[in-house]
């Protein structure tokens, strides 16, 4: 009898029973949790669930499969359910806030912290430290505030003023490259060129190094960052894919890409520190040098190599890609709206007076370019939403939101609300000629509250220098047949990459 019970068939059967029992128990627990979540938010306005288990997941996936952005779906929901909307993706319930008074209360007055979703994914990617505890992914407000206070001076306009030569020289490199392609026949992806420009500028201004991103055909850093971005989006859209054995090779590639990004930063930092140890003065004319000196890096146990690498990867990935995508969307609208393009060129001619070098003092006078940039970010908010965690119950816009809820502000749908923006689907930079006319807390492309984007001055300077130098030299013709649509890849991109024929003016 004992031998029979120890037979392979008996052991296999016992294991199968144990596994089945475990799965059944886990399934029941999940079902109970889903029931609790559904009851918790049953009183809130929002779309009907497609199913009890999946919530609104089926509707969202069907919409995105048809080419809709999530913001488009939210816009449709808001027209039916109001400015505070509850939706469910599996067991995760998200409260979407589109009411400006509620936005101010939650983001500014209460300064709700970031939650585990999606920021833990940014912190560690498939077991590899990715953004770590950088400014974007750090969830602890106190720790974030300490790091932000260290880095704030380097993103102030006074500091960036010292880097105008680097902004100009990087754009000059791009212009030299485009001159060779300005035959009116070659198809040029301006999205790709702006991405390369963004890497070049951040490498020089922030880290005092040159990645030769503009001219190098195959650029490993850009390829690695694209792969990392795709992994973030894939993980957010389908968390179960993280455990899919068929995705094992993809996860290995992502881990290798993340290691490469951080090793690139390590090489840059160690080179700087080696020079310091050899008796050279620690340079302070770029951001990295300032951070190392201000933090007293060599003696400060609170700010060591992994912390520096967190900020290296964060500044690069949060900076170059978003600004480049915004510039591509802005160029697309200029090409589509020749009257707006002509006004921009007239302003550049008036301000620059034939000069090719953009001075810091010129930036304040390029007011219409600022309006075009702002309108671009209203229509195409590159970072389309933000998420925060509400710890305690609040009532906003007459709706009770339970404690321990995830709240989200969707900038795409917010910028298309008729009651906030007249004729919101029309690209009209003149709406920003009087910023006091904009309803407060309805336009926030660089987020809002204490945790707003540290790089907004950087992005505005880069964009103004770029277009002030580019538009007087080149004419752009939209390649026929490509789409004007945008897609969500974690940030918003032009679907077909802003392809143009270029000619010299």
């Amino acid at each position: 009898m004992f031998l029979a019970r120890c037979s392979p068939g008996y052991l296999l059967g016992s294991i199968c029973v144990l596994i089945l029992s475990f799965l059944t128990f886990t399934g029941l627990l999940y079902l109970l949790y889903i029931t609790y979540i559904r009851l918790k938010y049953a009183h809130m306005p929002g779309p009907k669930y497609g199913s009890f288990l999946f919530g609104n997941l089926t509707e969202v996936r069907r919409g995105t499969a048809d080419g809709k952005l999530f913001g488009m779906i939210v816009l449709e929901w808001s027209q039916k359910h109001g400015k505070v909307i509850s939706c469910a993706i599996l067991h995760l319930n998200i409260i979407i806030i589109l009411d400006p008074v509620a936005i101010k209360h939650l983001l500014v007055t209460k300064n709700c912290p970031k939650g585990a979703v999606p920021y833990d994914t940014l912190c560690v990617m498939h077991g590899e430290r990715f953004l770590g505890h950088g400014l974007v992914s750090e969830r602890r407000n106190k720790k974030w505030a300490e790091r932000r206070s260290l880095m704030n001076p380097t993103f102030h306009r006074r500091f960036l003023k010292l880097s105008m030569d680097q902004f100009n020289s990087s754009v000059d490199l791009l212009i030299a490259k485009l001159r060779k392609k300005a035959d009116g026949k070659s198809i040029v992806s301006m999205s790709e060129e702006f991405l390369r420009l963004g890497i070049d500028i951040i490498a020089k201004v922030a880290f005092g190094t040159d990645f030769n991103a503009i001219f190098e055909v195959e650029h490993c850093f850009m390829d690695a960052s694209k792969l990392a971005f795709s992994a973030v989006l894939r993980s957010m859209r389908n968390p179960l894919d993280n455990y899919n054995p068929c995705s094992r090779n993809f996860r290995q590639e992502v881990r290798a890409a993340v290691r490469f990004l951080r090793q690139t930063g390590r090489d840059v930092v160690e080179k700087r520190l080696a020079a310091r140890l050899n008796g050279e003065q620690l340079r302070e004319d770029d951001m990295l040098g300032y951070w190392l000196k201000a933090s007293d890096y060599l003696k400060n146990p609170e700010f060591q190599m992994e912390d520096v690498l967190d900020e290296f990867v964060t500044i690069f990935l949060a900076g170059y890609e978003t600004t480049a995508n915004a510039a591509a969307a802005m160029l697309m609208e200029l090409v589509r709206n020749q009257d707006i393009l002509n006004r921009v060129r007239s302003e550049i001619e008036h301000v620059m007076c034939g000069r090719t070098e953009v001075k810091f003092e010129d930036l304040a006078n390029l007011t219409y370019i600022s309006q075009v940039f702002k309108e671009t970010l209203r229509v195409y908010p590159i970072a389309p939403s933000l998420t925060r965690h509400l710890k305690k119950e609040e009532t906003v816009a007459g709706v009770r939101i339970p404690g321990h809820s995830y709240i989200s502000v969707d900038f795409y749908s917010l910028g298309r609300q008729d009651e906030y923006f007249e004729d919101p689907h029309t690209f009209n930079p003149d709406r920003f000629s009087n910023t006091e006319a904009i309803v407060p807390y309805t336009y926030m492309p660089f987020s809002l509250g204490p945790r707003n984007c540290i790089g907004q001055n950087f992005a505005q300077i880069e964009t103004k220098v770029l277009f002030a130098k580019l538009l007087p030299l080149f004419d752009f013709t939209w390649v026929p047949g490509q789409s004007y649509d945008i897609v969500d890849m974690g940030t918003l991109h032009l679907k077909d990459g802003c392809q143009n024929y270029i000619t010299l003016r």
Side-chain angles (χ1 to χ4, degrees), residues 396-469:
V396 296
V399 179
R400 179 177 62 84
I401 303 177
H404 298 289
S405 294
Y406 283 101
I407 57 174
S408 175
V409 179
D410 188 89
F411 302 133
Y412 182 93
S413 55
L414 188 65
R416 286 167 169 76
Q417 299 291 325
D418 291 327
E419 58 196 271
Y420 306 148
F421 298 97
E422 183 180 351
D423 196 10
H425 297 284
T426 298
F427 189 85
N428 178 20
D430 284 331
R431 73 175 79 246
F432 288 98
S433 60
N434 178 16
T435 54
E436 293 182 0
I438 302 297
V439 178
Y441 306 102
T442 61
Y443 176 78
M444 54 198 92
F446 295 101
S447 189
L448 192 67
R451 297 200 67 151
N452 63 358
C453 175
I454 195 174
Q456 54 187 296
N457 285 332
F458 195 111
Q460 290 168 1
I461 292 173
E462 179 180 335
T463 303
K464 285 186 176 183
V465 173
L466 169 62
F467 284 97
K469 294 172 77 74

Side-chain angles (χ1 to χ4, degrees), residues 126-191:
H126 298 315
E128 289 288 338
R129 185 164 176 162
F130 182 32
L131 302 189
H133 298 292
L135 285 182
V136 170
S137 51
E138 176 57 71
R139 293 166 49 198
R140 298 165 294 180
N141 278 352
K142 182 179 179 181
K143 191 73 175 177
W144 169 87
E146 294 172 358
R147 189 70 57 83
R148 176 75 180 243
S149 64
L150 168 67
M151 300 174 67
N152 260 339
T154 58
F155 285 92
H156 194 279
R157 294 177 71 85
R158 287 194 300 269
F159 190 94
L160 295 173
K161 178 180 180 180
L162 304 175
S163 301
M164 287 300 293
D165 286 345
Q166 284 95 332
F167 283 105
N168 275 281
S169 64
S170 290
V171 177
D172 286 340
L173 290 175
L174 175 61
I175 288 173
K177 181 179 181 180
L178 294 180
R179 283 183 184 275
K180 298 177 180 179
K181 299 183 177 184
D183 56 10
K185 300 176 182 178
S186 301
I187 296 177
V188 182
S189 171
M190 293 307 299
S191 292

Side-chain angles (χ1 to χ4, degrees), residues 272-273 275-276 279-285 288-294 297-298:
R272 186 73 59 91
L273 293 176
R276 169 75 180 273
E280 297 181 24
Q281 186 71 22
L282 189 63
R283 56 184 292 189
E284 298 179 57
D285 59 345
L288 176 61
Y290 181 93
W291 300 339
L292 293 177
K293 184 169 183 178
Y297 173 81
L298 295 175

Side-chain angles (χ1 to χ4, degrees), residues 82-299:
K83 298 296 188 286
V84 180
I85 307 162
S86 173
C87 71
I89 307 297
L90 296 175
H91 60 278
L92 180 64
N93 221 92
I94 302 172
I95 312 303
I96 300 167
I97 309 292
L98 302 174
D99 178 83
V101 176
I103 290 171
K104 178 186 177 182
H105 177 69
L106 295 170
L107 266 61
V108 181
T109 306
K110 292 193 68 66
N111 187 23
C112 291
K114 294 184 175 182
V117 179
Y119 298 101
D120 280 0
T121 302
L122 296 172
C123 181
V124 177
M125 175 64 67
H126 298 315
E128 289 288 338
R129 185 164 176 162
F130 182 32
L131 302 189
H133 298 292
L135 285 182
V136 170
S137 51
E138 176 57 71
R139 293 166 49 198
R140 298 165 294 180
N141 278 352
K142 182 179 179 181
K143 191 73 175 177
W144 169 87
E146 294 172 358
R147 189 70 57 83
R148 176 75 180 243
S149 64
L150 168 67
M151 300 174 67
N152 260 339
T154 58
F155 285 92
H156 194 279
R157 294 177 71 85
R158 287 194 300 269
F159 190 94
L160 295 173
K161 178 180 180 180
L162 304 175
S163 301
M164 287 300 293
D165 286 345
Q166 284 95 332
F167 283 105
N168 275 281
S169 64
S170 290
V171 177
D172 286 340
L173 290 175
L174 175 61
I175 288 173
K177 181 179 181 180
L178 294 180
R179 283 183 184 275
K180 298 177 180 179
K181 299 183 177 184
D183 56 10
K185 300 176 182 178
S186 301
I187 296 177
V188 182
S189 171
M190 293 307 299
S191 292
E192 180 81 4
E193 299 302 338
F194 289 157
L195 286 169
R196 291 175 175 275
L197 173 68
I199 291 178
D200 194 77
I201 289 178
I202 291 180
K204 291 173 180 174
V205 174
F207 302 105
T209 190
D210 187 354
F211 285 170
N212 192 29
I214 291 178
F215 289 103
E216 194 170 302
V217 178
E218 297 292 334
H219 201 275
C220 296
F221 190 91
M222 188 162 67
D223 292 341
S225 63
K226 286 180 179 179
L227 182 58
F229 270 121
S230 70
V232 171
L233 183 65
R234 185 165 167 171
S235 179
M236 290 170 58
R237 287 183 172 174
N238 184 12
L240 297 179
D241 189 62
N242 296 333
Y243 311 100
N244 185 351
C246 297
S247 301
R248 182 171 177 270
N249 290 339
F250 175 75
R251 292 194 293 271
Q252 289 179 337
E253 291 175 3
V254 172
R255 284 192 284 267
V258 171
R259 287 194 296 269
F260 174 80
L261 292 173
R262 294 185 71 88
Q263 184 59 48
T264 301
R266 188 182 300 275
D267 293 342
V268 172
V269 176
E270 287 181 345
K271 182 179 180 181
R272 186 73 59 91
L273 293 176
R276 169 75 180 273
L277 294 174
N278 289 335
E280 297 181 24
Q281 186 71 22
L282 189 63
R283 56 184 292 189
E284 298 179 57
D285 59 345
D286 60 30
M287 295 179 179
L288 176 61
Y290 181 93
W291 300 339
L292 293 177
K293 184 169 183 178
S295 66
D296 195 13
Y297 173 81
L298 295 175
K299 301 177 182 178

